[in-house]
Amino acid sequence: MRLDIKGLIAAVFSPFNKSGCVDMAPIPKLVEHLIDNGINGLYAMGSTGEGLSMTVRQRMDVTEAYIGAVDGRIPVIVNVSHTSYDATEELIKHAVGAGAFAVSATLPAYYTVSSIEQLVQAVRKIAECQNDVPFVYYHIPGKTGLNFKMHTFLEKIGDTLPQLGGIKYTSGAIDDFMMCQELYGERYKMFFGVDELFLPALAMGADSFVGSTYNFMAPTYHNITERYTKGDQEGARTEYFKAVRIIDALLGYDGLASQKAIMQMSGHDFGPPRSPLLPLSQNEYDTFYRNLKNIGLF
């Protein structure tokens, strides 16, 4: 089940009000904004969407809200990661029924996965519970601690798991990404997921990108791609440096809290992040806004 999505896929936020309850009201406006800015797909309920901080019912509700607002115009990939296989299967079946284009997951956390064979077996257990849509393995070793080479994973799994459509590759090891792309790109779709390495990944042959900063910087990434494709290396680097500066500024705080602040600054208030994360203080918010304005985001 190979996926043929290209371009920018926005890892979307989940909306909470000040009391921490899920509030669907901001979703339709954001979806229209993203589509108007040339976003090619959505990735919902992942790290940016705080899915692992929410109940199964809340995740289902947000999933339905995004798929409903999109109304078939662009693909929606739904992250179904959970600490329980049973809950993951429930989330998968719901996402498929709601109209998800694909589902995606990390492995259940806490218990150590110490071999590539364990990884293959666990991915198989998740992916094989349905045959209707592709499954995208979510490789994010900074969160999971699973530092296996993905080209070795693809070699081991071969063609034995037809549900596997690709990998969301959120790691700075672009040598491994290139191995996956060159050796297995005809069979599996490689989604690059480190926004601050966008241009190097583009040079490595990436053509599909999943990221949180595409919610508010899509035009900059479109400019990078256009200039790089036309051979304007200096122009591509100039646009890329702007993106890198903005990402560097937001990483001066908790990355999710600062990006939710940017969304609020941009007129899309998705509320604070869920505990244990803390929102920016008013002083941090004001300082951050001034820095972003100086860089040219606003």
Side-chain angles (χ1 to χ4, degrees):
M1 293 185 180
R2 191 181 188 279
L3 292 150
D4 289 320
I5 309 175
K6 293 184 178 181
L8 302 182
I9 300 162
V12 288
F13 300 89
S14 292
F16 306 112
N17 60 29
K18 290 181 179 178
S19 63
C21 298
V22 177
D23 175 11
M24 306 301 174
I27 289 177
K29 180 183 174 183
L30 177 62
V31 167
E32 296 307 316
H33 167 77
L34 294 175
I35 292 175
D36 288 346
N37 277 272
I39 289 295
N40 302 98
L42 304 184
Y43 187 94
M45 308 313 305
S47 303
T48 304
E50 301 177 80
L52 288 168
S53 296
M54 298 163 66
T55 68
V56 168
R57 183 66 259 169
Q58 288 171 332
R59 293 171 69 167
M60 290 178 175
D61 290 344
V62 173
T63 294
E64 290 173 11
Y66 270 112
I67 292 175
V70 165
D71 194 24
R73 290 173 291 173
I74 56 175
V76 179
I77 302 171
V78 179
N79 185 292
V80 294
S81 304
H82 201 282
T83 53
S84 160
Y85 282 116
D86 292 337
T88 294
E89 183 173 348
E90 184 180 2
L91 287 164
I92 287 175
K93 291 181 177 178
H94 172 267
V96 172
F101 183 75
V103 292
S104 178
T106 59
L107 301 190
Y110 186 78
Y111 295 103
T112 303
V113 176
S114 57
S115 70
I116 197 77
E117 289 76 20
Q118 278 181 284
L119 175 63
V120 169
Q121 183 184 31
V123 168
R124 190 183 303 280
K125 183 176 178 67
I126 296 170
E128 285 182 337
C129 74
Q130 62 84 37
N131 298 304
D132 298 306
V133 302
F135 174 80
V136 177
Y137 174 60
Y138 187 3
H139 177 56
I140 182 166
K143 295 292 187 184
T144 64
L146 303 180
N147 286 295
F148 302 106
K149 297 289 187 182
M150 286 296 96
H151 71 272
T152 305
F153 165 72
L154 292 176
E155 178 187 3
K156 291 283 186 182
I157 212 157
D159 292 320
T160 64
L161 185 60
Q163 294 90 341
L164 183 64
I167 296 174
K168 180 180 182 293
Y169 192 96
T170 307
S171 166
I174 55 177
D175 55 337
D176 180 36
F177 176 83
M178 188 176 186
M179 291 281 284
C180 295
Q181 185 82 353
E182 294 297 319
L183 296 175
Y184 302 103
E186 291 296 317
R187 170 66 180 85
Y188 297 110
K189 190 67 181 180
M190 298 298 300
F191 299 92
F192 192 75
V194 184
D195 299 11
E196 56 267 46
L197 294 177
F198 184 89
L199 184 55
L202 195 63
M204 293 286 183
D207 62 7
S208 300
F209 303 84
V210 180
S212 54
T213 62
Y214 309 152
N215 286 281
F216 49 84
M217 277 203 293
T220 299
Y221 292 104
H222 288 314
N223 287 338
I224 295 168
T225 303
E226 181 179 2
R227 295 185 183 195
Y228 178 81
T229 302
K230 290 181 177 179
D232 179 9
Q233 303 296 321
E234 187 60 35
R237 284 196 297 271
T238 298
E239 289 293 312
Y240 176 55
F241 183 53
K242 177 182 176 182
V244 166
R245 288 184 69 198
I246 292 168
I247 293 170
D248 182 65
L250 69 86
L251 290 177
Y253 309 91
D254 174 82
L256 184 56
S258 58
Q259 289 185 88
K260 281 204 153 183
I262 292 175
M263 296 302 290
Q264 183 178 353
M265 296 170 191
S266 305
H268 300 276
D269 190 353
F270 274 65
R274 282 205 154 177
S275 180
L277 303 180
L278 296 173
L280 270 60
S281 69
Q282 189 61 53
N283 182 60
E284 289 172 331
Y285 184 97
D286 294 341
T287 301
F288 186 40
Y289 177 79
R290 288 194 295 270
N291 289 342
L292 293 174
K293 193 170 183 180
N294 288 335
I295 295 170
L297 180 59
F298 303 114

